[in-house]
Amino acid sequence: MPSKPAPIKKAAKKEPAKKEEEKAPEPAPEPEPAPAEAAPAPAEEAAPAPAEGEAAPAPEAAPADGNTHGSGLHLSISAEDWKAVNEDLQKSCRYVIKNQTTGDRLKIRVVAVNEGGRSPPVALPEPVLVKEVADRPKVRLPRFLRQRYVAHVGDKINLTIPFTGKPKPVVSWTKNGEPLDTKRVNIRSTDRDSILFIRAAERDDSGVYEMSVKVEDFEDKASLTLQIVELPGPPASVKIADVWGFNVALEWTAPKDNGNTEITGYTIQKADKKTGEWFTVLEHYHRLNATISDLIMGNTYKFRVFSENKCGISEDATVTKDEAKIQKTGIDYKPPEYKEHDFTEAPKFTTNLSDRATTVGYSTKLLCSVRGSPKPKIEWMKNQMIIGDDPKFRQICVQGICSLEIRKPGNFDGGVYTCRAKNDHGEAIVSCKLEVKQPINPDAEKK
C-alpha cells in the first residue's frame, strides 16, 4: 500500500491536516482472505448470532487505529467457503444477515477496515444454526365456543378452531383429560386451524374438549364444553293427593332421564272418563305439584303429566293410577214439566182434484194432497166403487201427495173419481170428473 504523505505546514487558519487527508488516495481493495484465516481471535468475545430476520451484531470492539476516517467493518459468513455479506463497509456495530436457508449452520466472522488496511478476522466460537423466526402459538377460540355448545342427538358437529404460531405448531386434543376416541371424533389440522368433526352426535360425546398447540417450548391451550341433548323421559310418578269440591290436587316427581339438560317445565292434561279425550290444563309449569280446578260435578277424571326441556316435550306421559270423581253437592235437580202438545189431526185435503179430459189411448194422472195425524189411509174410487188392485190403475201416495194414473183409458174409463182419506180422527173426500174423448180422424172430416 502507498505510504501516507507527510503533512505540509501552513497557517493555522486553513486546517492543513484535513486538506491532506482529502487528497490522499483511497486504499486498494484487498482480496478475500483464505479459509485458513477463519480461526477466531481469542482476545475478542463474539455476541451470539440471532435467528433469521434479526440483527447479527458484530463484535463491539473497534480497531485500535486512532485514525478512523474511511474505516468500517466487513462481515463474512461461511457454510463451506467464506463469503462477504455486506458490499459496503458497515460503520455500525450491528448488522442483519438476511435470506438464509433454514437448517444451515453458518460460521460468522468480522473484519475491521480502515485506511491502514484490514484487521485480523474475529469469528464466533460456534456455528450459528439458521432457524425460522419463532412465533408464540395462540389459539383463537371463536366467541360462540367460549360458552357451552349445545347440540341435539343425531346432529352433525363440525367445529373449526383457528390458531397462530410459527413454525407450524403441533396440535393435540383431549376429552375430559383423556385421549380422544378416534372412532367417534375426527380431528383434521392445518397450518392455521384445527377441525373437530362428529358425524352423528351421541350423548356420550358430551364433555370438555381441550386443544393444545405447541411451538418448541411454548404452548397455548383452549377448552370448549360440548353438550349433546335430547327429549326428556316422563315424570317418574304422578298421584292424586286430594279431591275436594270441584278441585283435585296432583303431585309428581322429576323424570329419571332429563335428556342431558335441565327440565324447563311440565304439561298437565285431564280426561273425562266418559269421553276419554285429553285436554291441556297447564303448560310450562315449573313446580312438582298443582291444583286443577273448575271440574264438572259428577264426572270422573284421570290426569297425566309430560316433562319438558329445551329440546321439547317428552314423547310419553305418566298417568295417574287412581281416578278423581267429583261428587254431587246434594242438590236434586227436578226438570220442569211441560205439557205435551197434541199433534193429532183428522185428514184434510190441502189440494183438491181437478176435472180432466183426455183422449182414448192416452194415459192421464189425477193429483191431490192431504194431511193428517196419524197418517191417513188413502182409497181411490170410480163412480163410488173402490178401485182396489186393478192393474189398469196405478196408485201412489208419498209425503201426502196422492196420485192415480189411468193407463191408456178407453171409452168406458170416464166418470167420477173420488179420493178418500181416513184415520182414527175422521175422514175426508175429494172428487173430480174425467172425460174420455174419441180421437179426431182428419180423413173422415174431408169426406
Side-chain angles (χ1 to χ4, degrees), residues 59-75:
E60 296 294 335
D65 189 352
N67 187 357
T68 59
H69 296 285
S71 63
L73 301 177
H74 202 163
L75 287 82

Side-chain angles (χ1 to χ4, degrees), residues 2 12 29-30 72 80 98 157 167 175 192 206 213 235 240 244 252 289 302 305 315 328 342 359 420 441 446:
E30 291 187 7
E80 295 179 357
K98 299 180 179 179
I157 309 297
K175 176 189 173 185
R192 61 183 63 185
S206 302
V213 290
I240 297 175
W244 74 99
W252 60 90
N289 54 73
K302 276 191 163 186
V305 181
E315 295 179 353
K328 295 183 179 180
D342 185 9
T359 304
R420 181 171 61 187
N441 188 349
K446 290 180 181 180

Side-chain angles (χ1 to χ4, degrees), residues 99-147:
N99 302 324
Q100 301 304 306
T101 303
T102 303
D104 285 353
R105 290 183 175 273
L106 302 178
K107 296 178 181 179
I108 300 177
R109 70 181 187 182
V110 182
V111 175
V113 181
N114 68 2
E115 293 181 357
R118 298 168 60 90
S119 71
V122 176
L124 293 175
E126 297 292 338
V128 176
L129 174 63
V130 179
K131 297 186 294 185
E132 191 174 5
V133 176
D135 186 9
R136 286 177 178 267
K138 180 66 177 177
V139 179
R140 307 290 183 183
L141 192 66
R143 185 181 298 276
F144 73 96
L145 292 178
R146 296 176 189 175
Q147 298 178 348

Side-chain angles (χ1 to χ4, degrees), residues 36-48:
E37 298 178 358
E44 296 288 345
E45 184 68 24

Side-chain angles (χ1 to χ4, degrees), residues 306-321:
F306 293 87
S307 304
E308 186 178 353
N309 64 8
K310 63 176 63 179
C311 294
I313 194 170
S314 61
E315 295 179 353
D316 301 320
T318 303
V319 184
T320 55
K321 295 180 180 180

Side-chain angles (χ1 to χ4, degrees), residues 355-364 406 408-415 417 433-441:
D355 294 341
R356 295 184 65 85
T358 185
T359 304
V360 173
Y362 290 89
S363 298
T364 188
I406 306 168
K408 296 182 179 181
N411 293 328
F412 301 101
D413 291 327
Y417 286 84
K433 185 178 180 180
L434 175 65
E435 182 182 358
V436 180
K437 300 179 180 181
Q438 290 293 332
I440 300 174
N441 188 349

